[in-house]
Amino acid sequence: MADNDMPSASGIRLVGLLKFILPSLIGIFIFLTPITVDGRSTIVMGVIMDFVRAPFEPILAELLLSFIGATVLGAGYYLVRQPDWHNTRPLLFAMCDTTPFWFFMRLLGALIGLVVYFEIGPDLIWASETGGTVYSVIGPGLFFTVLIACLFLPFLTDFGFLEFTGTLLRKPFARLFTLPGRAAIDATSSLVAAASVGLLITLKQYEDGRYTAREAASVATNFSIVSLPFSLVIATTAKLDHMFFTWYLTVIGGCLVCASIMVRLKPLRTIADTYYAPVGKQIHEEREGEVSLFRWATVQAIARAQSAPRLLHLFKGGAQSALSTLFKLMGPALAIATITSILVFHSSFFDVLAWPIYRLLDFMGLPEAQSVAPGFIVGFLEQFTPAVIAASIDDERMRFILAGLSVSQLIYMSEIGVLILRSNLPLSFYDLCKIFALRTLILFPIFLVAGFALIG
């Protein structure tokens, strides 16, 4: 929206105010309103997801396998024929455009899915603790979570809610995290959307000259982590859905504490405060003058709401976003999750790597230390697997800790790590390893104290 189209602080109109408030309330109701259903704490989105999923329960396996197969066929056709879909069919381009490596990962996801579905080949692939859980529990949960989230997220993201809350949070955000206040909007996006959504927003802001390298790296490695819809999947997988909001509030608190520390440590602290060279600095902070912060936040929200699409286009855009995301995500994510779970449950690979952690946990007298320890490091490769490990743990406090780490460690190479390494951010693989280790060291005592205090 052009500057001369923005409503003035002294001229807020009722129509614009309602266009901001009413859709935002719908978004708050769907994503941020706790409810209890059959004695289980959840959110309205969880109820919608269960409702949409119910008719497909008898054919979930076939649905998932067919969908992953379609992603392989689409990507294969695009790689071989190279059609001009970028200009003629942008949705197909977004769904099928890929590299040979990521095509291989889609294909691997489909092949593993066939092995799991027909229970052929080595049973360690389709066993209940490996491919069986990945394709019957994690896969459907991820599919319907992304689908429903993409359809309804515009009510939170397109009608001014992020601008309103982000503007109100600017000063405390800057003090706590040594970041510009406008980064609060990106952080809020990550809170309610998928982790990759917040990260992609941050990367684009950096490449558009709106963040310095230090600011972008700090936001990317600290705030694209606590997606509410994804957290619901993790909590359910780890058998913590009955205390979802208690656990989720602990996750938020832990991540905020961790971020306030991480931005003051190497490697983030020493990254240059320079803008992306090809574009330079393109951001100029607006002047609020004598306008109150609350009124200015309202003006910002109304300006965003006035540029929001009509309802039909909103749902159409949400459906396209869901298809694009699911085509890119499902096959590779489930393939990496299965391979990682095989390494966890049918090899000593992570047991060897996690031996020092096991000794520490055992020294502290924590239950099931040997089973829990691999979950501390396996999250570097894949974000789901710590929750899968947690599901096999009897002690609820340890499940609480592992599930918390799985959504808070952030640097998992199956998605976020690869996106960062392929971006223009000045972060190396070694930097990501250090950040992952530091986050784990900071977060573990937080979840440990919270788990034992809340569960006993």
Side-chain angles (χ1 to χ4, degrees):
M1 176 176 290
D3 292 341
N4 57 3
D5 293 331
M6 182 175 289
S8 66
S10 59
I12 294 176
R13 298 173 64 88
L14 179 61
V15 173
L17 191 63
L18 290 176
K19 191 169 184 179
F20 152 52
I21 291 177
L22 294 180
S24 296
L25 286 176
I26 294 174
I28 292 169
F29 175 71
I30 292 174
F31 288 98
L32 302 177
T33 303
I35 60 173
T36 301
V37 178
D38 297 329
R40 179 172 63 96
S41 296
T42 185
I43 55 176
V44 174
M45 181 196 150
V47 176
I48 297 174
M49 190 168 67
D50 290 342
F51 177 79
V52 173
R53 175 174 170 163
F56 298 98
E57 285 292 345
I59 57 167
L60 272 181
E62 292 81 1
L63 173 67
L64 188 63
L65 193 57
S66 298
F67 185 86
I68 296 176
T71 73
V72 174
L73 293 175
Y77 179 85
Y78 183 82
L79 282 174
V80 173
R81 301 295 297 272
Q82 293 290 309
D84 185 27
W85 286 347
H86 185 272
N87 297 312
T88 59
R89 290 179 171 81
L91 176 58
L92 283 176
F93 175 77
M95 292 162 57
C96 300
D97 178 39
T98 189
T99 64
F101 172 77
W102 290 111
F103 169 74
F104 170 75
M105 294 305 296
R106 292 190 191 196
L107 179 62
L108 185 60
L111 293 176
I112 293 175
L114 287 171
V115 170
V116 172
Y117 182 76
F118 291 106
E119 296 188 354
I120 56 177
D123 60 0
L124 61 84
I125 298 177
W126 48 265
S128 60
E129 72 274 13
T130 56
T133 294
V134 170
Y135 280 81
S136 65
V137 178
I138 294 176
L142 180 63
F143 181 89
F144 285 100
T145 296
V146 171
L147 176 64
I148 301 304
C150 286
L151 285 175
F152 290 101
L153 266 175
F155 286 103
L156 273 184
T157 60
D158 288 13
F159 292 93
F161 176 72
L162 298 184
E163 283 72 14
F164 181 77
T165 56
T167 301
L168 292 178
L169 290 171
R170 281 180 174 180
K171 288 185 178 179
F173 197 88
R175 290 194 187 102
L176 283 171
F177 308 116
T178 69
L179 295 169
R182 59 186 178 274
I185 297 175
D186 297 50
T188 310
S189 300
S190 300
L191 188 68
V192 298
S196 56
V197 173
L199 176 58
L200 292 172
I201 291 172
T202 302
L203 296 178
K204 187 176 187 303
Q205 292 283 81
Y206 172 61
E207 292 170 357
D208 287 346
R210 300 175 67 84
Y211 283 139
T212 67
R214 182 191 65 82
E215 292 166 353
S218 297
V219 175
T221 55
N222 283 287
F223 296 104
S224 299
I225 49 178
V226 287
S227 157
L228 191 149
F230 181 75
S231 294
L232 182 60
V233 174
I234 290 292
T236 302
T237 303
K239 303 175 184 177
L240 294 170
D241 48 321
H242 63 284
M243 57 181 303
F244 172 71
F245 271 94
T246 303
W247 171 81
Y248 186 60
L249 290 174
T250 306
V251 167
I252 294 174
C255 287
L256 293 178
V257 171
C258 185
S260 68
I261 298 172
M262 288 293 300
V263 295
R264 293 171 169 86
L265 300 176
K266 294 181 179 181
L268 296 178
R269 178 174 59 84
T270 55
I271 294 175
D273 259 318
T274 54
Y275 288 87
Y276 185 46
V279 296
K281 183 178 180 180
Q282 299 294 322
I283 184 67
H284 301 282
E285 298 285 1
E286 64 272 26
R287 297 174 62 89
E288 297 181 9
E290 299 299 322
V291 179
S292 70
L293 181 62
F294 184 85
R295 191 173 185 86
W296 184 251
T298 305
V299 169
Q300 298 288 90
I302 292 174
R304 181 69 177 92
Q306 288 179 343
S307 66
R310 295 181 180 275
L311 195 62
L312 180 62
H313 289 94
L314 181 143
F315 283 114
K316 181 180 178 181
Q320 291 175 344
S321 176
L323 282 173
S324 173
T325 303
L326 288 169
F327 257 64
K328 295 175 181 177
L329 180 63
M330 291 304 297
L334 299 190
I336 293 173
T338 303
I339 293 170
T340 306
S341 64
I342 290 172
L343 290 175
V344 170
F345 294 110
H346 293 278
S347 80
S348 58
F349 179 76
F350 284 107
D351 291 327
V352 173
L353 289 181
W355 185 84
I357 299 174
Y358 155 62
R359 298 303 302 170
L360 174 63
L361 299 181
D362 187 58
F363 175 77
M364 296 172 65
L366 297 177
E368 302 180 77
Q370 190 167 9
S371 299
V372 169
F376 278 63
I377 57 175
V378 71
F380 184 71
L381 292 180
E382 207 288 312
Q383 195 178 27
F384 297 115
T385 308
V388 176
I389 295 174
S392 66
I393 302 298
D394 292 327
D395 191 277
E396 189 170 64
R397 296 166 300 183
M398 303 310 291
R399 295 205 308 271
F400 186 98
I401 293 169
L402 282 185
L405 288 175
S406 73
V407 296
S408 305
Q409 289 170 316
L410 174 59
I411 313 297
Y412 54 102
M413 297 309 298
S414 62
E415 184 181 350
I416 296 298
V418 172
L419 283 174
I420 291 175
L421 291 177
R422 295 177 67 185
S423 74
N424 293 304
L425 289 179
L427 288 170
S428 66
F429 179 79
Y430 179 58
D431 289 331
L432 296 186
C433 291
K434 289 192 291 185
I435 292 170
F436 177 86
L438 287 170
R439 292 190 65 86
T440 304
L441 287 172
I442 295 168
L443 289 163
F444 169 55
I446 294 174
F447 288 119
L448 176 67
V449 171
F452 276 72
L454 293 171
I455 300 173

